[in-house]
């Protein structure tokens, strides 16, 4: 059985076809798109911060679009009483039939755990929520949140531990994000109408400004530009030269880690919500092996 270090190394090895950011530089890789100064790039481009006050939140987006990749970002979330706030970090395309791969961090009262909310949209349809508690305090230090997106699957990971896998089940009629390039987006905003205990707990503006921090961005990814990909298309993903993230799947060790997280830390799974999907009406992917 491969060691965790070996598994993580295999996830990030794919330099042959990938465009990789060798060292994170937020000036080079991202644009702060809104917030009127509440988003800031500091430490010579090594750290980005987003802030929220009663007047506005803030957000940024990647300069590049990607069509498949392994995206890593370290985040340190809003500390203390973060109830009502949402820190969103996601990939998304544009248009009415957009694709999207979401991490959202739902704030909570001091001492109560954050909720990590995940979702996958394909062709404008989402409703595939899974939610988790984390096994550490995400406000005390930086932790790595990763999206592995290849033609076969999407894997959400935290500090190298997989928490969710969404497989390509187009053969069963389930749309899968594979044709639309996506940018990376992140925002910090007020959502106290729903974010904490269904909106019962409101944002305490006496605690503002709320600040989330980002560092160590890395994208081993196919950059999409002017209608073409930076990754070659003349060699199939299974060929010997393409043995990295583009054909990555979970080995037995990571399957066990995924099951451990889902058993101990998952607090909502749309595939188990029979009240939401009554009379055997669970989405197709929930019933597929």
């Amino acid at each position: 059985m491969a060691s965790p270090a070996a598994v993580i190394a295999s996830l990030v090895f794919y330099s042959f076809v990938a465009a990789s950011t060798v060292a994170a530089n937020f000036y080079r890789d991202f644009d702060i798109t809104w917030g009127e100064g509440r988003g800031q790039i500091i430490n010579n481009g090594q750290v980005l911060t987003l802030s929220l006050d009663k007047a506005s939140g803030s957000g940024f987006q990647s300069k590049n679009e990607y069509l498949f990749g392994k995206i890593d970002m370290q985040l340190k979330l809003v500390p203390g009483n973060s109830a009502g706030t949402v820190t969103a970090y996601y990939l998304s395309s544009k248009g009415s039939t957009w694709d999207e791969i979401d991490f959202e961090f739902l704030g909570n009262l001091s001492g109560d755990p954050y909720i990590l909310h995940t979702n996958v949209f394909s062709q404008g349809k989402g409703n595939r929520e899974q939610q988790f508690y984390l096994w550490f305090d995400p406000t005390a230090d930086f932790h790595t949140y990763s999206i592995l997106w290849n033609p076969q699957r999407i894997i959400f990971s935290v500090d190298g531990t997989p928490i969710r896998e969404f497989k390509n089940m187009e053969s069963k009629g389930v749309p899968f994000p594979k044709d639309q390039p996506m940018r990376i987006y992140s925002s910090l905003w007020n959502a106290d109408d729903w974010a904490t205990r269904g909106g019962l707990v409101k944002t305490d503006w006496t605690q503002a400004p709320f600040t989330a921090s980002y560092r160590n961005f890395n994208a081993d990814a196919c950059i999409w530009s002017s209608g073409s990909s930076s990754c070659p298309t003349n060699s199939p993903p299974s060929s010997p030269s393409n043995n990295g993230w583009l054909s990555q799947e979970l080995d037995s060790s990571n399957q066990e880690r995924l099951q451990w997280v889902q058993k101990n830390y998952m607090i909502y799974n749309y595939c188990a919500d029979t009240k939401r999907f009554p009379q055997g009406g669970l989405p197709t992917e929930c019933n597929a092996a």
Side-chain angles (χ1 to χ4, degrees), residues 155-178:
I155 300 171
F156 298 77
S157 298
V158 178
D159 288 340
T161 294
I163 64 168
R164 177 177 186 177
E165 179 180 28
F166 183 81
K167 294 181 179 179
N168 185 336
M169 296 188 187
E170 288 181 305
S171 63
K172 300 182 183 297
V174 180
F176 184 83
K178 67 176 180 55

Side-chain angles (χ1 to χ4, degrees), residues 125-128 174 270-273 277 280-288:
K125 180 182 180 300
N127 300 322
R128 298 185 177 102
V174 180
Y270 75 110
C271 282
D273 194 341
F277 303 103
L282 289 172
T284 301
E285 66 269 20
C286 298
N287 299 312

Side-chain angles (χ1 to χ4, degrees), residues 90-213:
Y90 59 102
L91 289 163
S92 182
S93 63
K94 295 292 189 180
S96 59
T97 56
W98 77 100
D99 294 337
E100 187 170 323
I101 305 169
D102 287 343
F103 277 115
E104 290 187 319
F105 303 89
L106 312 185
N108 216 330
L109 296 168
S110 298
D112 289 341
Y114 263 81
I115 292 174
L116 172 51
H117 175 101
T118 67
N119 205 349
V120 176
F121 287 75
S122 49
Q123 299 180 15
K125 180 182 180 300
N127 300 322
R128 298 185 177 102
E129 302 91 347
Q130 290 184 356
Q131 295 182 337
F132 306 83
Y133 288 142
L134 294 166
W135 49 96
F136 53 83
D137 178 358
T139 72
D141 203 351
F142 286 89
H143 292 269
T144 303
Y145 302 90
S146 304
I147 294 169
L148 172 69
W149 170 37
N150 66 31
Q152 298 84 38
R153 58 187 44 80
I154 296 163
I155 300 171
F156 298 77
S157 298
V158 178
D159 288 340
T161 294
I163 64 168
R164 177 177 186 177
E165 179 180 28
F166 183 81
K167 294 181 179 179
N168 185 336
M169 296 188 187
E170 288 181 305
S171 63
K172 300 182 183 297
V174 180
F176 184 83
K178 67 176 180 55
D179 298 315
Q180 300 186 57
M182 296 196 261
R183 293 188 193 275
I184 302 163
Y185 296 88
S186 191
S187 57
L188 174 57
W189 50 292
N190 177 47
D192 66 3
D193 55 334
W194 65 270
T196 305
R197 299 182 187 175
L200 294 176
V201 181
K202 300 301 183 182
T203 303
D204 180 0
W205 293 112
T206 67
Q207 305 296 312
F210 304 98
T211 301
S213 302

Side-chain angles (χ1 to χ4, degrees), residues 22-54:
V22 176
N25 186 312
F26 285 101
Y27 287 118
R28 180 190 62 210
D29 299 321
F30 291 93
D31 292 315
I32 294 174
T33 49
W34 63 284
E36 297 179 333
R38 292 172 180 82
Q40 297 185 359
I41 298 174
I42 58 176
N43 293 8
N44 296 315
Q46 302 306 298
V47 175
L48 188 152
T49 61
L50 294 181
S51 291
L52 163 70
D53 58 33
K54 198 167 186 178

